[in-house]
Amino acid sequence: MEKKIKVLKCVRCDKHYLPPVNTCSNCEEIFREFSEEEVEGTGKIYSFTVVRVPSKHYKDLAPYLLAIIELEKGLRLIGRVICDDFSKVQIDQPVRLVSSKDRMHSFALIK
Amino acid sequence: MRKVSIIGVGQTRYGNLKDETLRDLIAEAGCKAIKEANIKRKEIQAFYLGNYDAVSFIKQNHLAPYGAGAIGLKDIPCIHVEGACSSGALAIREGIIAIGAGLYDIVLVVGAEKMNSLSTEDVTEILAQAGDYETELLAGATFPSIFGMIARRHMYQYGTKREHLAAVAVKNHSNGAKNPDAHIQKKVTFETVMECDRMVADPLTVYDCSLISDGASAVVLCATELVSNFCKKTIEILSIGQASDSFSMHLKDDITTFDATVKAANQAYKIAGLKPSDIDVAEVHDCFTIAEIIAIEDLGFVKKGEGGESSFSGLTSLTGEIPVNPSGGLKSKGHPVGATGVGQIVEIVRQLRDEAGLRQIKGAEIGLAHNFGGSGATAIVTILRRAN
Ligand SMILES: [Zn+2]
């Protein structure tokens, strides 16, 4: 279980990406050299939902709270927010990464 | 580019069609369209099939000749086009390009999908694959959950309410009740929708989601310069725009608008020399109620952020200023994904020919269809006009 998120930085223009990324869309010339960094995984909720009808892949997990998280460096990802009371969750609420496994990033609300 | 017209349309009923195979559906829609165009099969010079995922749904690949065989088309080029839920409109666009370029005079386009062969869980997984498998599906997203997040953000930014979403569902069910091809031909009351607690992906309930349907739709396209030889009620294709956006929804700057829709619409309006207020009737891609609210904003029928309130106030009803989804939309007519984009064109053609029965928009001359794939990575906007 990783507690940080791997990010890639364009060596030419410093724009950050979450993998997978193949070319920098910010650079006009085709550029595909990236350096690896890690971020702590703190951010805030951009939007959220509760998945009640899951795909087969996560059928044992539902219902779960799913959100688009805005991380540091302008990065956004889809992640799960682990919480007991879904009704307490709001847009803009701060969250931090608690685990990252098999492409599923899990966050907790920061009180 | 040569101009292109529609000389015949055909369609199966949409629904949970247990007794019919994909082959049966393609054959029924295709043959009806050929008959209506009053042409012989051998006059068709190419066949385009829009289908999303027969491989997963019914374990069939190499679909274009499979479909052509069902209709009894021989020897001609057969092309399968896939663009998730926009496969149908993409197939039509390829046919238009080929005729426009002078390659053919007459082509047949069929959109078809057989979805009710699997469990809801399996279908949910297959539909989620229209998004990014690595960053969306494996991250826990489903198709409804993506639109749940879009709805929540739209509510946050523009004050859109549950009542507004419900109004879209009520309207589309009311329209679908007047469409003999619709999957669900039953009205629902505003109270029923508002009181529904069967959440799929908050704030979306089952009433906000389109249906899992089987069905096929077909159109015969013909070079406009030749149409006088065929059908009496020709519909001209004035323009068809297509654009793309980020493949992953969370990489978009603003999830409450679909850039590809805006760009495809701008292309279509520009080529046709028309503006949003010139449109008499529209079929839009309401895979979820929130998607219709955003579509009427992105297509320029209302200002950004006013889609919810406008839907609630009746602007888009059959008798409103700009009737949207008279067929019942994906919500009530149904959403056999590969068929949907072609089915929208079938409805617009029927409206412009004054053949839409109880749901007819009086005097409709110019119609628009809006079809998109996945969470908006592909969008197509088509504008049609009744020929005089
Ligand atoms: Zn760069």
Side-chain angles (χ1 to χ4, degrees), chain B residues 76-284:
Chain B
I76 59 172
C78 299
I79 304 99
H80 169 210
V81 183
E82 189 271 313
C85 313
S86 61
S87 301
L90 282 186
I92 290 180
R93 186 166 178 274
E94 291 307 311
I96 292 170
I97 290 169
I99 294 177
L103 219 52
Y104 313 118
D105 294 327
I106 298 177
V107 309
L108 175 67
V109 184
V110 177
E113 205 80 49
K114 176 79 191 171
M115 302 175 76
N116 281 295
S117 46
L118 300 174
S119 68
T120 301
E121 256 171 21
D122 282 313
V123 173
T124 302
E125 172 110 0
I126 292 166
L127 292 177
Q129 290 162 1
D132 191 322
Y133 192 82
E134 280 182 71
T135 65
E136 294 182 343
L137 193 142
L138 291 184
T142 60
F143 216 37
S145 71
I146 298 271
F147 281 86
M149 291 191 281
I150 290 171
R152 178 94 63 194
R153 189 72 198 183
H154 202 278
M155 289 171 160
Y156 174 81
Q157 284 181 210
Y158 301 111
T160 303
K161 301 186 176 80
R162 274 266 349 126
E163 286 83 345
H164 301 163
L165 303 179
V168 173
V170 170
K171 170 192 63 91
N172 287 353
H173 274 289
S174 168
N175 294 354
K178 300 183 170 83
N179 183 354
D181 291 338
H183 185 156
I184 295 184
Q185 297 170 31
K186 207 175 81 186
K187 284 188 178 189
V188 294
T189 66
F190 184 74
E191 290 68 32
T192 307
V193 178
M194 285 302 291
E195 282 161 17
C196 176
D197 58 2
R198 287 166 60 205
M199 283 288 174
V200 176
D202 310 26
L204 307 179
T205 73
V206 290
Y207 282 109
D208 294 295
C209 303
S210 55
L211 306 167
I212 295 170
S213 316
D214 309 323
S217 299
V219 299
V220 178
L221 302 177
C222 178
T224 300
E225 64 202 40
L226 301 171
V227 294
S228 58
N229 304 342
F230 304 101
C231 151
K232 297 156 291 289
K233 286 184 170 178
T234 304
I235 302 300
E236 288 174 63
I237 296 165
L238 295 182
S239 59
I240 184 161
Q242 182 184 340
S244 307
D245 195 1
S246 303
F247 190 58
S248 307
M249 190 268 313
H250 57 285
L251 299 180
K252 295 164 48 150
D253 291 336
D254 179 359
I255 65 169
T256 66
T257 178
F258 292 104
D259 256 10
T261 296
V262 174
K263 287 178 180 139
N266 287 343
Q267 286 172 33
Y269 287 132
K270 194 175 170 202
I271 295 166
L274 295 170
K275 49 191 190 304
S277 59
D278 294 323
I279 305 299
D280 298 322
V281 54
E283 285 281 303
V284 310

Side-chain angles (χ1 to χ4, degrees), chain B residues 282-299:
Chain B
E283 285 281 303
V284 310
H285 197 89
D286 62 323
C287 47
F288 299 90
T289 49
I290 184 66
E292 178 168 320
I293 287 172
I294 292 174
I296 64 173
E297 297 172 352
D298 287 344
L299 293 167

Side-chain angles (χ1 to χ4, degrees), chain A residues 10-15 17 24-27 31 34:
Chain A
C10 173
V11 175
R12 185 180 281 180
C13 76
D14 287 354
K15 187 175 163 69
Y17 293 91
C24 181
S25 56
N26 193 42
C27 285
F31 203 73
F34 298 91

